[in-house]
Amino acid sequence: MTDAETAPAGTTDAGAVQTGATPGADWAAWQISWDQQQEWYLPDREERFRVMLDMVEAVAGSEPRVLDLACGTGSITDRLLKRFPKAQSTGVDLDPALLTIAEGTFAGDDRVTFVTADLKDPDWPALLPHDSYDAVLTATALHWLHSEPLAALYGQIAGIVRDGGVFLNADHMPDPATPRINAADREQRARRMDEAKAEGAVDWASWWQLAAADPVLAGPTARRFEIYGEHADGDTPPAEWHARTLREAGFTEARTVWQSPSDAMVLGLK
C-alpha cells in the first residue's frame, strides 16, 4: 500500500478509490490464485467466512453497509456481495498490489469503494466515505499489529460501528493455556501443508514471486515490499484478550463465535 503522495492512479486526495479497471490482467485468475494460496494455510477459510456473514445477517440484516478492514484483494467483499446483493462495501488497505487486484475485480461496481489508508495512522477513519457502518469485518490481517496498536485500533472501530452494529475479527488466536494441543495441531498442519506443496500448492513467497513477474502487478508489488518488507510480525493474543479489549473499547458484548485449534473469530456488538 502507499501513502497519499504515491497512491495508485484513480486515488482522490481524500484517499478514496472508486473502482476502475487496470487493463491487461486476468483479475478473476488472480483472485482464484490468492484464494488457493490462502487456503493452503487456512483450509477452513470458507467456513469462517460463512459464519462471519451469518452473524452479519443475524445482527445487521441482508442489506448492510460494511467496512472490509485490511481488505486485501477483497475476499470478504466478494463473498458479502454474492450472498447479499444489496449490501455496500468500503474496502480499506495499504497494500498497492492487493488493492490493484481488488480494484480490477470490482471495476464498475458502484456498491464498492476502496480507500488507501494505513491503519496505524490515527487519522485513517477520516478517509472513509461514511461516518458509520453496520458491520466492520476483517480476517487474517490484524495479527500484523502488536497488542498496543491493535487495542487502539479497536477503540477507533468502536467509533465507526453504529449502535447495534457488529465487528468481527477472524485471525490467529492460539490459546497459551494448551501448549501440547497447540504443538500437535501445528505438526499436523505442517504435514498437510507439505503434502499439498508436493502436489503443487503455491505458498506466500511463491505467490509474490508470481505477482512480481506480472507486467501489471510488478510495480505495485515492488511498492508493497518497500512498505512491508518480507513480512510483518505482530502479536497473536488469545480470543479472550480480543473479547475483553473490545468491551473495554466500548462494545457492549464480545465473545468468540467460531474457533479452530489455532484460529478464532471474535464478535463485538456495539
Side-chain angles (χ1 to χ4, degrees):
M1 293 174 293
T2 59
D3 58 26
E5 294 182 355
T6 58
T11 303
T12 68
D13 291 341
V17 180
Q18 296 294 337
T19 55
T22 301
D26 185 340
W27 302 121
W30 277 111
Q31 288 286 0
I32 291 170
S33 70
W34 175 259
D35 283 344
Q36 290 173 339
Q37 178 257 128
Q38 290 288 287
E39 287 164 2
W40 183 64
Y41 295 97
L42 306 167
D44 49 21
R45 185 168 178 254
E46 291 302 326
E47 173 68 9
R48 69 187 71 192
F49 286 149
R50 182 191 65 77
V51 175
M52 177 179 283
L53 296 181
D54 281 350
M55 297 311 302
V56 170
E57 185 175 23
V59 174
S62 59
E63 300 181 21
R65 176 192 290 169
V66 170
L67 178 61
D68 186 352
L69 197 68
C71 65
T73 66
S75 297
I76 290 175
T77 293
D78 176 56
R79 288 150 181 83
L80 172 78
L81 297 179
K82 286 176 178 174
R83 178 160 169 176
F84 307 124
K86 294 184 179 181
Q88 298 179 24
S89 179
T90 301
V92 177
D93 210 307
L94 188 63
D95 189 313
L98 299 185
L99 276 175
T100 296
I101 295 172
E103 291 161 19
T105 299
F106 297 97
D109 192 331
D110 60 9
R111 298 171 297 176
V112 184
T113 302
F114 290 104
V115 174
T116 300
D118 184 350
L119 298 181
K120 294 180 180 179
D121 182 345
D123 297 324
W124 73 267
L127 302 177
L128 299 176
H130 305 289
D131 293 332
S132 67
Y133 288 83
D134 300 311
V136 177
L137 310 177
T138 189
T140 325
L142 300 188
H143 64 274
W144 284 39
L145 296 175
H146 289 282
S147 297
E148 185 174 341
L150 179 55
L153 178 64
Y154 279 175
Q156 292 177 305
I157 293 169
I160 294 170
V161 176
R162 66 162 173 82
D163 289 345
V166 64
F167 168 66
L168 285 149
N169 178 18
D171 211 339
H172 306 313
M173 301 180 188
D175 188 342
T178 58
R180 293 169 60 197
I181 294 173
N182 298 349
D185 175 60
R186 284 195 303 270
E187 290 173 5
Q188 177 172 261
R189 285 190 290 115
R191 286 195 299 271
R192 291 176 174 174
M193 291 169 72
D194 287 344
E195 292 170 359
K197 188 71 175 294
E199 295 174 0
V202 175
D203 63 11
W204 173 266
S206 299
W207 191 90
W208 282 109
Q209 290 174 357
L210 293 172
D214 183 274
V216 175
L217 292 177
T221 297
R223 294 197 299 275
R224 183 249 179 231
F225 280 95
E226 289 174 1
I227 295 168
Y228 293 109
E230 291 298 321
H231 203 282
D233 295 319
D235 294 334
T236 54
E240 63 180 282
W241 178 93
H242 290 270
R244 181 180 70 253
T245 304
L246 286 170
R247 289 191 293 268
E248 292 170 352
F251 287 87
T252 59
E253 299 178 15
R255 72 171 180 88
T256 302
V257 293
W258 175 89
Q259 195 163 23
S260 75
S262 60
D263 288 25
M265 180 157 54
V266 173
L267 181 153
L269 182 66
K270 185 73 181 294

